[in-house]
Amino acid sequence: MSRVLFILILTLITSSCEHYFYKDKEKVENFENFLKIKLSFEEDFKWNSSFVNGDPISRPVGSWQNLLESKSYCLNYRVPSPSNVGVLQVVRKKEANCPVLPTNNEEMSLQNINDLKVKFTTDHIKGKSIRNAVFGFKLSFEYLKEKRELEFPLINRMRSGEFTQAKMTKYSSSGTYRMNKGLRVTRDLDKKMRSSMWPGDWDLKESNQILFCEKKNKDCKIQGESFCGECLYGWEYVVDYNCSGGGSKVCSPVKCGQKGRPACPRGIAWSGIDARELCFDDSPAGFCESDLRVICAEDGILVCN
């Protein structure tokens, strides 16, 4: 077997197993974030009224059921049985209809689901009143004996079919009619949305897991596109160069100072050392938890080891 073929096979195996390297808590949080990102701005919803009513889904035992369908995605559920665990599954549609179940052509799934309840919310999302604008979507379930609840808005699912389909800009009076009071989101806005998700522990050997939303060079010039405004959980500074106003930025959360994570900056701009490049082992420009050492990683930023 040639070396190139061996590397290709190894890469395919590693990428296919990547999801299973996560810890249990990371798996469920990653899946919940995935649902929010993929479904919040979807449209053209269809749902299975037999299951999306807030009642526990316990029958037919062991069967696969389609719960929700949108323009681009299908949300499926395998009802748990004595021989099979419950599974929530998100599938991207390649045709007009959801694929016939069961299917392995999934974007993401989460196993060990029990006591699943799914319903639409109308006036309140997380206790906040939503005035005649959008529906919310709520899931509650048990994951590895832990009760969890997930709720997020479906921005483009309107309460009434009478709402105008005209393209409107935020706070535009020219596109607002008396019967259509309240905030509206144009269909153009769903083309670009916040999409960063933190996949779990950051491995020093797999530095591509950290998402730079603004990367600077030693001349403090921004390299490529700056998109920190799109980070789902905000952004934070890392320590690389002694730039006025701070160095490069990465999408949160990074939990700086912990093992395997970026070092915490000592202020926005380190002035305790007369050097442009601050990334070197034991650099005083960053700090870690007391039992860890500051080192310079391959990405050119300080990390804790």
Side-chain angles (χ1 to χ4, degrees), residues 20-292:
Y20 299 99
F21 294 154
Y22 297 149
K23 299 175 183 177
D24 290 332
K25 184 178 180 181
E26 293 170 342
K27 285 182 181 179
V28 66
E29 291 176 349
N30 208 11
F31 183 80
E32 290 175 345
N33 287 336
F34 185 87
L35 275 184
K36 292 178 183 178
I37 290 171
K38 297 301 182 183
L39 294 184
S40 289
F41 278 64
E42 277 290 287
E43 55 188 30
D44 298 335
F45 289 98
K46 302 175 185 177
W47 57 96
N48 191 329
S49 58
S50 298
F51 300 107
V52 188
N53 54 16
D55 295 331
I57 303 175
S58 58
R59 306 179 70 86
V61 175
S63 68
W64 278 97
Q65 301 292 334
N66 174 251
L67 304 180
L68 183 70
E69 176 182 350
S70 69
K71 182 178 181 180
S72 305
Y73 295 96
C74 307
L75 178 63
N76 305 319
Y77 180 54
R78 184 173 72 185
V79 184
S81 69
S83 57
N84 291 301
V85 298
V87 180
L88 268 172
Q89 177 191 70
V90 180
V91 178
R92 178 182 283 275
K93 293 168 65 175
K94 294 185 177 180
E95 298 178 357
N97 299 316
C98 290
V100 177
L101 295 173
T103 176
N104 294 321
N105 188 25
E106 62 186 33
E107 289 273 301
M108 183 170 284
S109 64
L110 182 67
Q111 300 186 17
N112 298 303
I113 299 291
N114 287 288
D115 194 30
L116 176 67
K117 302 174 185 177
V118 181
K119 70 175 182 178
F120 291 109
T121 55
T122 52
D123 295 323
H124 294 80
I125 297 177
K126 291 189 179 298
K128 184 178 180 180
S129 178
I130 308 297
R131 179 172 170 259
N132 282 341
V134 299
F135 276 75
F137 193 59
K138 182 176 182 179
L139 298 90
S140 61
F141 56 90
E142 184 181 276
Y143 174 72
L144 297 178
K145 298 183 179 180
E146 178 186 0
K147 295 287 187 180
R148 298 189 68 89
E149 191 172 281
L150 177 65
E151 191 171 7
F152 54 91
L154 302 178
I155 301 297
N156 290 321
R157 182 172 183 249
M158 300 300 184
R159 179 185 296 274
S160 169
E162 296 179 356
F163 287 119
T164 180
Q165 299 300 313
K167 294 181 179 180
M168 295 178 282
T169 57
K170 193 174 183 181
Y171 309 124
S172 171
S173 59
S174 62
T176 303
Y177 303 93
R178 184 172 182 179
M179 67 174 183
N180 297 317
K181 293 180 178 179
L183 176 63
R184 297 291 176 268
V185 179
T186 72
R187 295 180 183 274
D188 289 340
L189 291 182
D190 69 359
K191 295 178 181 178
K192 185 176 183 180
M193 59 181 296
R194 296 179 177 182
S195 58
S196 69
M197 290 194 304
W198 191 256
D201 286 338
W202 186 55
D203 191 334
L204 295 178
K205 298 179 181 178
E206 299 179 10
S207 58
N208 61 336
Q209 288 190 2
I210 187 170
L211 180 58
F212 284 89
C213 62
E214 185 175 286
K215 194 75 167 69
K216 293 183 179 179
N217 60 18
K218 64 181 180 180
D219 297 320
C220 298
K221 302 292 185 181
I222 297 175
Q223 303 299 293
E225 182 183 2
S226 177
F227 57 91
C228 294
E230 298 173 34
C231 294
L232 187 62
Y233 301 113
W235 56 266
E236 300 178 38
Y237 284 107
V238 290
V239 181
D240 48 5
Y241 301 107
N242 196 8
C243 299
S244 176
S248 298
K249 302 173 184 177
V250 298
C251 288
S252 299
V254 294
K255 299 180 180 178
C256 74
Q258 298 183 6
K259 185 176 179 61
R261 307 279 184 164
C264 300
R266 292 186 186 275
I268 295 179
W270 174 252
S271 58
I273 181 171
D274 185 17
R276 173 65 70 188
E277 297 189 20
L278 300 177
C279 191
F280 54 88
D281 292 352
D282 300 317
S283 171
F287 65 93
C288 304
E289 294 179 352
S290 58
D291 58 336
L292 300 177

Side-chain angles (χ1 to χ4, degrees), residues 3-15:
R3 183 178 180 184
V4 174
L5 181 59
F6 174 77
I7 294 174
L8 177 60
I9 294 174
L10 182 61
T11 301
L12 290 173
I13 294 174
T14 303
S15 61

